[in-house]
């Protein structure tokens, strides 16, 4: 068996076929995810795989994110909720770990971060109390899916329906990006570059869908980009105006994604993505009847380095967040991409 580096600009078939066949594979493991980060923000990719008799036996996609402000890391996978190593057996994992350690020394990174659903290394430092993921099986009958939503949350979905909101499928990222940029500014978070959204759309093709919610007057008030992977739908980048709250537009939006995914794509799993524990986003998803499942982020640390704490809960960043919320939207949109590309 040999560890090799995949040509990210070459034929994605062998890499993607392994991801699609592996039970722990996710949309973030697909070559499209890393290529979108590379094309839009220039981050180097180190997509490692183990080959045995011409077949892939395991892989790990690494994105190199380097910043004076946020550190120097190899992340599997950056700008996603998960994406840690996939492997056939522990021998394959050991080969991947060995090459990752060598690469860490060569690039002089502080650490390697594996974003896993479940623990892979019992002896590595691990964060398992910060993030949870929300996933749920769907019925092929949308009326059953509606009734499976707890009563209070179901009332919010019906509120959006009564307001006669409409869900439209956008072919470009324009409306999504405007709503997303406004939303994250209000949260005190720098916006990602528009190129990232376009690159995701280009790389995933028909498996990337943008749904925008409009009022009866035609005003766009909420929008979300979803990725389809196997039998799953994964609404990921989303945003809304402050006015959207009175229409229950976010509730209507996620129901519309769910409804459409079942009707148009026969989807069986709704992946609500990750949220930080004990936050508003965490409570919102739990109110839909989804049970949180802890994510396990594992770290290989070079000598003398510590587990990074790049998250909004870190007091070190509170002043920056509070200041960012007060910026004019135009300024936030100009400065945001210069900062967010280093967040990972």
């Amino acid at each position: 068996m040999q560890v090799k580096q995949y040509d990210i600009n070459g034929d994605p078939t062998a890499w993607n076929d392994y991801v699609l066949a592996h039970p722990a594979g996710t949309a973030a493991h697909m070559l499209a995810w890393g290529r979108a980060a590379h094309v839009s923000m220039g981050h180097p990719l180190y997509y490692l795989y183990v080959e045995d008799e011409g077949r892939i036996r395991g892989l790990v996609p690494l994105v190199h994110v380097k910043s004076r402000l946020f550190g120097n890391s190899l992340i599997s996978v950056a700008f996603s909720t998960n994406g840690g190593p996939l492997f056939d057996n522990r021998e394959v994992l050991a080969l991947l770990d060995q090459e990752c350690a060598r690469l860490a020394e060569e690039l002089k990174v502080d650490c390697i971060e594996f974003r896993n659903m479940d623990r892979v290394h019992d002896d590595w430092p691990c964060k398992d109390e910060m993030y949870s993921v929300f996933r749920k099986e769907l019925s092929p009958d949308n009326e059953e899916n509606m009734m499976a939503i707890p009563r209070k949350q179901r009332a919010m979905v019906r509120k959006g329906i009564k307001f006669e909101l409409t869900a439209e499928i956008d072919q470009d990222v324009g409306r999504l990006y405007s709503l997303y940029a406004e939303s994250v500014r209000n949260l005190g978070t720098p916006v990602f570059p528009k190129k990232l959204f376009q690159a995701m759309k280009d790389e995933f093709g028909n498996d990337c869908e943008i749904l925008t919610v409009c009022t009866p007057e035609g005003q766009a008030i909420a929008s979300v980009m979803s990725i389809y992977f196997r039998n799953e739908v994964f609404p990921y980048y989303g945003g809304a105006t402050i006015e959207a709250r009175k229409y229950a537009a976010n509730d209507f939006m996620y129901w519309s994604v769910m409804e459409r995914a079942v009707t148009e794509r026969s989807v069986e799993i709704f992946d609500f993505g990750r949220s930080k524990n004990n936050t508003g986003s965490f409570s919102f998803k739990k109110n839909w009847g989804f049970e949180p499942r802890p994510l396990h982020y594992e770290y290989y640390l070079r000598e003398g380095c510590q587990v990074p704490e790049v998250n909004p809960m870190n007091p070190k960043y509170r002043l920056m967040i509070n200041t960012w919320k007060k910026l004019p939207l135009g300024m936030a949109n100009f400065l945001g991409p210069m900062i967010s590309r280093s967040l990972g």
Side-chain angles (χ1 to χ4, degrees), residues 302-341:
R302 288 184 66 231
E303 187 174 353
C305 297
Q306 297 179 335
V307 173
E309 295 292 343
V310 182
N311 69 82
M313 312 306 287
N314 186 342
K316 175 181 177 182
Y317 302 117
R318 293 312 303 175
L319 178 59
M320 179 186 297
I321 292 170
N322 291 332
T323 301
W324 202 267
K325 292 178 180 180
K326 301 173 184 178
L327 287 181
L329 186 57
M331 182 178 295
N333 288 349
F334 176 74
L335 296 175
M338 303 177 196
I339 300 172
S340 63
R341 68 179 304 278

Side-chain angles (χ1 to χ4, degrees), residues 173-312:
V173 303
R175 293 198 293 184
L176 166 69
Y177 190 74
S178 294
L179 291 163
Y180 177 81
E182 180 179 348
S183 186
V184 295
R185 189 283 309 270
N186 293 341
L187 293 171
T189 303
V191 67
F192 289 120
K194 189 175 183 178
K195 285 184 178 180
L196 174 61
F197 295 78
Q198 187 61 55
M200 293 286 283
K201 192 84 175 70
D202 293 341
E203 292 291 342
F204 278 100
N206 290 334
D207 289 331
C208 177
E209 189 171 85
I210 299 170
L211 183 145
T212 298
V213 174
C214 297
T215 65
E217 295 74 33
Q219 179 187 0
I221 55 175
S223 186
V224 64
M225 173 184 283
S226 300
I227 304 296
Y228 287 88
F229 174 78
R230 291 194 298 221
N231 65 338
E232 305 174 13
V233 62
F234 179 36
Y236 194 55
Y237 291 118
T241 63
I242 294 177
E243 187 182 25
R245 295 177 185 175
K246 72 177 184 182
Y247 289 99
N250 280 316
D251 310 87
F252 176 82
M253 178 176 71
Y254 288 114
W255 165 249
S256 297
V257 171
M258 187 182 297
E259 185 180 41
R260 179 178 172 80
V262 169
T263 303
E264 302 293 331
R265 306 247 190 167
S266 300
V267 160
E268 298 173 359
I269 302 289
F270 191 93
D271 187 333
F272 230 147
R274 78 176 184 190
S275 289
K276 294 178 185 67
N277 295 339
N278 304 313
T279 63
S281 174
F282 179 97
S283 298
F284 176 77
K285 294 172 183 178
K286 196 170 182 180
N287 288 343
W288 278 74
F290 287 57
E291 286 301 318
R293 176 180 171 183
L295 290 171
H296 299 80
Y297 286 11
E298 298 177 344
Y299 297 86
Y300 170 83
L301 302 174
R302 288 184 66 231
E303 187 174 353
C305 297
Q306 297 179 335
V307 173
E309 295 292 343
V310 182
N311 69 82

Side-chain angles (χ1 to χ4, degrees), residues 1-4 14 49-58 88 91-92 95:
M1 291 192 292
Q2 292 181 313
V3 183
K4 298 182 177 181
Y49 69 101
V50 173
E51 185 181 77
D52 182 26
E53 297 182 350
R55 295 182 60 187
I56 294 178
R57 298 296 184 180
D88 289 356
E91 182 183 2
V92 171
L95 288 173

Side-chain angles (χ1 to χ4, degrees), residues 44-65:
L45 304 183
Y46 299 89
Y47 273 43
L48 308 177
Y49 69 101
V50 173
E51 185 181 77
D52 182 26
E53 297 182 350
R55 295 182 60 187
I56 294 178
R57 298 296 184 180
L59 54 80
V60 58
L62 297 168
V63 182
H64 187 190
V65 181

